[in-house]
Amino acid sequence: MAQSSETYAEKLGWPKGAKVIIFHVDDAGMSYSSNQGAIKSIENGIATSCSIMMPCPWAASFTKYAVKNPKMDAGLHLTLTSEWQEYRWPPLGGIRHSPGLVDDEGCMWHDVESVVKNADADIVEQEIRAQVERALKMGLKPSHMDSHMGTLFAHPPFLERYIKVGIEYGIPVMFPGGNNKLLIECLNNPLVKKLKAEGKWKEGTQLPEPAIVKQSKSVGEKIWNAGLPVLDDLHTISGDWKPDGDNVSPAQWGKFKAQKFRETITRMQPGVAMMIVHSSDITDAFRHISNSGGSRYADMLSMLDPDLKAFIKSEGVILTTWTEMLARRKQVK
């Protein structure tokens, strides 16, 4: 997508040409390890924001922490899937009241495709509202909303309800409506891997424009015109980053991810981008949830990496939060 003459970062009052980044920790509330990873990444590292999975068992603990620490930029990771095999959760709307949103175990579906196939937009909106209301009931004013596993971006009627609820509550909805250079790379990552495996990849190959990107400009304008801030770009695939080899140490993995973030920042176009991590300070219990613990721990280490922090400073990169994004949007005439 060609870059427009004015980025959303510029519209929000940042200098022309500035690279502005939200380093964002997904999955707070999912587990104790996830909570600790988010807290350490923000309080001791470069992460600036996070979002909470309200249907999950450790959501109450993290929400209470965020309420006691109001400077923490904590939003809602709107959750419509329950992807793990043994560690699962039902919708907050209740099993009996959420037809199409639950599987045979009475939990949310394991994958996005099943949600799109079985759940209608009314039930999805009902669940979004239930998650917002739980947060508000606990005293949290969410800094923003985004979507676990991208479910709300996978089906236009779901996206419409997501935006509708955000506008109604005055809560920013995470949406990339700008140049989307990094997002196109992320969405095409499986295709690039396939071409490389087949020996058909060449640097500079023109990547196709994914469907969500084709409508992103108009959707972004709708959100902006409703008084909410909009991103220029979004990066989503740090979870795929791992160095080659079988005996990679946590420190090596964390350093590798930090280097990949430096490369990503170098490639990004001017504007405001959100870069997603899944920081977790892994305990032994986490292995009973998922085998992604190594990657999540490396995400946390990358957020704590002093070289990445120094690079950001030397490059003049501006770090921001959703709270600041909304405050700046309110100042725009």
Side-chain angles (χ1 to χ4, degrees):
M1 176 179 289
Q3 187 165 354
S4 62
S5 57
E6 185 179 35
T7 66
Y8 280 110
E10 290 174 67
K11 291 180 180 180
L12 290 167
W14 279 294
K16 183 178 178 63
K19 293 184 178 182
V20 186
I21 298 175
I22 298 172
F23 278 106
H24 188 273
V25 186
D26 280 4
D27 292 2
M30 196 264 279
S31 68
Y32 176 79
S33 295
S34 307
N35 289 1
Q36 292 300 302
I39 291 167
K40 291 180 180 181
S41 293
I42 292 172
E43 295 192 349
N44 303 323
I46 61 168
T48 56
S49 183
C50 63
S51 56
I52 309 167
M53 298 175 71
M54 293 308 295
C56 295
W58 280 88
S61 175
F62 193 90
T63 303
K64 289 176 183 177
Y65 185 90
V67 170
K68 290 178 182 177
N69 295 271
K71 290 185 179 180
M72 175 170 278
D73 195 74
L76 301 182
H77 199 43
L78 296 172
T79 303
L80 298 167
T81 50
S82 178
E83 65 271 30
W84 312 119
Q85 292 302 312
E86 307 296 336
Y87 180 72
R88 310 200 64 210
W89 46 84
L92 290 185
I95 297 169
R96 290 181 61 190
H97 303 290
S98 305
L101 200 57
V102 296
D103 62 12
D104 291 341
E105 296 179 8
C107 294
M108 294 179 179
W109 298 100
H110 283 97
D111 55 78
V112 174
E113 293 77 15
S114 296
V115 183
V116 173
K117 179 180 177 182
N118 293 284
D120 67 36
D122 288 341
I123 295 298
V124 166
E125 181 180 337
Q126 170 187 286
E127 180 60 24
I128 292 173
R129 290 180 181 275
Q131 293 179 26
V132 173
E133 289 296 329
R134 185 187 184 197
L136 295 174
K137 191 173 182 65
M138 293 189 68
L140 179 72
K141 184 178 181 182
S143 62
H144 68 290
M145 302 190 301
D146 55 57
S147 178
H148 181 54
M149 295 175 67
T151 311
L152 291 166
F153 298 92
H155 189 42
F158 294 176
L159 181 63
E160 290 173 10
R161 301 304 178 93
Y162 165 66
I163 296 169
K164 170 189 172 184
V165 173
I167 292 172
E168 180 181 322
Y169 282 91
I171 301 173
V173 290
M174 188 280 288
F175 190 87
N179 65 76
N180 283 328
K181 173 182 170 63
L182 300 178
L183 180 60
I184 292 171
E185 291 180 9
C186 291
L187 293 175
N188 280 305
N189 191 49
L191 172 62
V192 173
K193 283 184 175 180
K194 179 176 181 291
L195 292 174
K196 286 182 176 180
E198 296 172 349
K200 298 178 181 178
W201 172 255
K202 294 181 180 179
E203 290 300 329
T205 299
Q206 186 69 32
L207 296 172
E209 190 172 66
I212 187 69
V213 175
K214 291 178 180 178
Q215 61 170 324
S216 63
K217 184 176 180 181
S218 61
V219 174
E221 289 174 352
K222 174 183 176 180
I223 295 169
W224 178 266
N225 291 336
L228 298 178
V230 180
L231 296 169
D232 287 293
D233 207 348
L234 177 65
H235 187 271
T236 64
I237 59 169
S238 70
D240 292 342
W241 291 343
K242 184 179 181 181
D244 293 333
D246 296 326
N247 297 308
V248 178
S249 71
Q252 290 171 324
W253 202 342
K255 279 289 184 184
F256 180 80
K257 290 201 178 197
Q259 174 60 31
K260 294 290 282 185
F261 273 121
R262 290 197 291 274
E263 294 169 4
T264 302
I265 292 168
T266 300
R267 288 199 315 278
M268 78 173 275
Q269 293 181 0
V272 57
M274 186 165 110
M275 299 191 181
I276 295 173
V277 296
H278 296 84
S279 297
S280 298
D281 192 8
I282 299 301
T283 63
D284 288 342
F286 193 85
R287 64 187 175 86
H288 298 291
I289 298 175
S290 164
N291 62 3
S292 64
S295 177
R296 290 168 183 262
Y297 186 62
D299 272 352
M300 186 184 79
L301 293 181
S302 74
M303 293 296 96
L304 301 175
D305 187 78
D307 293 334
L308 177 55
K309 183 176 182 179
F311 174 82
I312 287 170
K313 183 176 181 180
S314 69
E315 293 294 306
V317 172
I318 300 168
L319 299 183
T320 191
T321 63
W322 280 104
T323 300
E324 182 180 7
M325 291 267 285
L326 180 59
R328 284 175 172 269
R329 177 65 187 92
K330 289 180 176 179
Q331 294 299 313
V332 178
K333 300 298 183 182

